[in-house]
Structures are given as C-alpha cells and as structure tokens.
Amino acid sequence: MLLKKILIVDNSIVIINVLKDLFSQKNEFKIFVAKSLKEVQSLLKKHTFFTAISNVVLPDALNGELVQLLEKNDVPTIILSSKVDDKFIKSINNNRIVDYVLKDSIHGLDSVYKLVELLVYMEDVEVLIIEDSPLIASQLKNTLKSFLLNVHVAKDGLKALRVLEKYPNIALIVSDYNMPNMNGLELIKKIKKDDKFSKIPVLVVSSESNKSLKTNLFKNGANDLLKKPILDEELKTKVVNIFSNSKQIEDINRFNKILDENIIS
C-alpha cells in the first residue's frame, strides 16, 4: 500500500510529537516535519503531499507566506491555531484550506487525525451541487473541493436527475430550494422514490427557513437545511458529519463481515 504523505508544519516540539504519535496508530501515513518556511520550501520541491497540517506563523514567515506557499503548491491544508474566529478565518483567503482546528488541547489535535482519516475516505468521492446561481454554485463547489471531493454541478432539478443517471456513485447532494422547473422539495420526492438514489443524503440550501418548509423537507427525506447566505464553516461541519456517519457505518459493516467470516461454527 502506498502511504499518504503528510506534512506537519509547526515550531512546537510538543505539538509535532503529539501529532506524530496520533498518526503512528495506523501504518497509512508517512510523516514529514518542517519547523521553518525554508524547510517547507525544500520538502515541497521533493514531495507531493496528500495534506499539510500547518501553523499560520513561523519565525521566518510572519505575514502569511506559509499559507500562500502551500496554496501555490496546491496542498490541501488543515490550519492549526490557538484562536479560531470569523476575523481569523476571513484573514486567510485560501481555497485549499480544509478546516481550522484549535491546537491548544489534545481534543483539537485528535480531531486533526480524524479529519485526515476522513479525507482519505472522501478523496474523489462524487457529490452533486444543484444551484442556478453561478456565484453560489462556485462557493459551494470550492468548499466541497477543499475536502478532495469530485464535484458535479447542475443548474436545476431536471438536469440533476440526468446527472444522477449518468453518475450512479454520487454520495451527497447539496441542492438549492428555489429553482426553475423543479424546486428542492419536488426533487427530494423524486429522488427518494427511486431505489437507485433514495439513500443519498441531501442538504438543502434556502433563503427561507420557516417551520412549514423545514417540516416538509425533513418529512420527505432531507438530511439538513442550510440558510442563505451560506456560512462555509456550517456547510463544512454538516458535510463532515454526513461522511463521518457513512464511514462509521461502512467500518462497522466491514468489521461484522470479518467477524462472520472468522467465526467457527
């Protein structure tokens, strides 16, 4: 098995060692460590990394040079920070940021390890965005691509049904509610009636969020509702939760299958 290369960038020995210990639990990753911008530059010339886990500031990179370098080299990056708020997130304009994680606790660092494991599971998985606004569709696509997902886009429900027929392995649908030809609720009803698509999780995006709409969407099979304007962090959290649940179910089924095959009757 080809090991995924992970780049850890921080000048704290404690954080580096904790992360290295976490990733040593499974023999799936090859870990590289850099404590300076110069070391990062050197490693990027020699290796292609699956993802980076990186601080924002280093002694020789005080003004965003590190994050810019990782983006320039197209490295999906999990940002480590002692503080994560709206101001901090807006200060880093980078489409290759997977997520932002607090590094001041073992819980935060453990979530980094779990997120990287989830990225391995999500890599190249197909998802479908249904949105008639090019601007919102672009925002959604950039957010989903940051998780290494393979993103398809359709402008309305009718086109979405054709995409689903063409790409039968789509694992998530993110759909606008107000669309031409067919609204989000009508689309969900069609999807849930078709055995081929009925188990695909559906996130609905809407400028409305009244009780009646929520009730109708959830009763007909929507997994969640996102209110416009879309907050990237909320979308990311919901996507992570959906794929974490899918991975957990697959892991349990795989374990049960192994157990059944090895039980001596």
Side-chain angles (χ1 to χ4, degrees):
M1 182 180 68
L2 191 63
L3 301 182
K4 300 282 189 185
K5 294 181 180 180
I6 308 294
L7 175 60
I8 298 174
V9 186
D10 206 290
N11 57 346
S12 166
I13 296 296
V14 173
I15 288 173
I16 289 170
N17 286 339
V18 170
L19 287 171
K20 286 175 72 176
D21 286 345
L22 286 168
F23 280 97
S24 68
Q25 294 176 29
K26 291 185 178 179
N27 190 30
E28 296 177 353
F29 307 101
K30 187 172 183 179
I31 303 299
F32 296 80
V33 173
K35 299 176 188 176
S36 69
L37 184 66
K38 187 176 180 180
E39 290 177 358
V40 174
Q41 290 169 330
S42 176
L43 286 170
L44 289 173
K45 290 176 182 177
K46 300 174 185 175
H47 305 280
T48 300
F49 290 99
F50 176 69
T51 189
I53 302 161
S54 178
N55 198 352
V56 176
V57 176
L58 292 173
D60 59 344
L62 301 173
N63 299 301
E65 299 94 338
L66 175 57
V67 176
Q68 291 171 13
L69 177 64
L70 292 169
E71 180 183 25
K72 183 180 177 181
N73 284 270
D74 203 30
V75 182
T77 303
I78 299 168
I79 295 292
L80 297 174
S81 179
S82 56
K83 182 180 180 181
V84 176
D85 56 23
D86 190 51
K87 183 179 178 181
F88 173 75
I89 292 172
K90 285 181 178 177
S91 70
I92 304 176
N93 183 22
N94 184 335
N95 287 331
R96 298 303 284 159
I97 300 299
V98 178
D99 209 347
Y100 303 83
V101 177
L102 290 168
K103 65 176 182 179
D104 54 358
S105 69
I106 188 65
H107 170 75
L109 297 178
D110 186 56
S111 70
V112 171
Y113 170 70
K114 290 177 180 176
L115 181 55
V116 173
E117 274 212 315
L118 190 61
L119 283 178
V120 174
Y121 174 77
M122 294 168 72
E123 186 181 16
D124 291 328
V125 170
E126 293 179 289
V127 299
L128 173 60
I129 294 169
I130 311 160
E131 173 60 64
D132 59 318
S133 164
L135 185 64
I136 297 174
S138 178
Q139 178 192 356
L140 291 169
K141 185 174 182 179
N142 286 336
T143 300
L144 294 179
K145 285 187 72 175
S146 72
F147 286 119
L148 311 183
L149 294 163
N150 183 359
V151 183
H152 302 280
V153 180
K155 290 184 178 181
D156 61 48
L158 292 177
K159 290 184 175 67
L161 292 174
R162 291 198 287 270
V163 173
L164 286 169
E165 290 289 351
K166 186 175 180 180
Y167 301 99
N169 293 321
I170 285 173
L172 171 66
I173 295 169
V174 181
S175 175
D176 190 15
Y177 175 72
N178 293 302
M179 298 181 292
N181 300 321
M182 183 188 300
N183 68 34
L185 180 58
E186 293 167 336
L187 175 65
I188 288 172
K189 287 179 179 179
K190 283 188 174 293
I191 289 171
K192 296 304 177 181
K193 285 180 181 177
D194 192 319
D195 290 341
K196 298 193 299 292
F197 314 131
S198 61
K199 293 183 180 180
I200 303 174
V202 181
L203 294 178
V204 178
V205 178
S206 176
S207 54
E208 306 172 40
S209 61
N210 61 72
K211 187 176 180 181
S212 176
L213 175 62
K214 287 182 177 179
T215 300
N216 274 324
L217 287 171
F218 293 143
K219 289 296 183 183
N220 282 282
N223 292 75
D224 217 328
L225 177 66
L226 283 161
K227 183 82 163 58
K228 292 181 180 179
I230 301 162
L231 180 65
D232 279 353
E233 299 312 304
E234 183 182 11
L235 174 58
K236 285 185 176 184
T237 298
K238 294 182 186 302
V239 170
V240 164
N241 288 341
I242 284 172
F243 280 103
S244 293
N245 290 338
S246 298
K247 182 178 182 297
Q248 187 174 29
I249 291 168
E250 286 191 19
D251 288 344
I252 291 170
N253 290 338
R254 191 179 300 112
F255 175 79
N256 288 337
K257 184 180 179 181
I258 294 171
L259 198 64
D260 290 342
E261 290 173 351
N262 287 277
I263 288 177
I264 301 174
S265 56

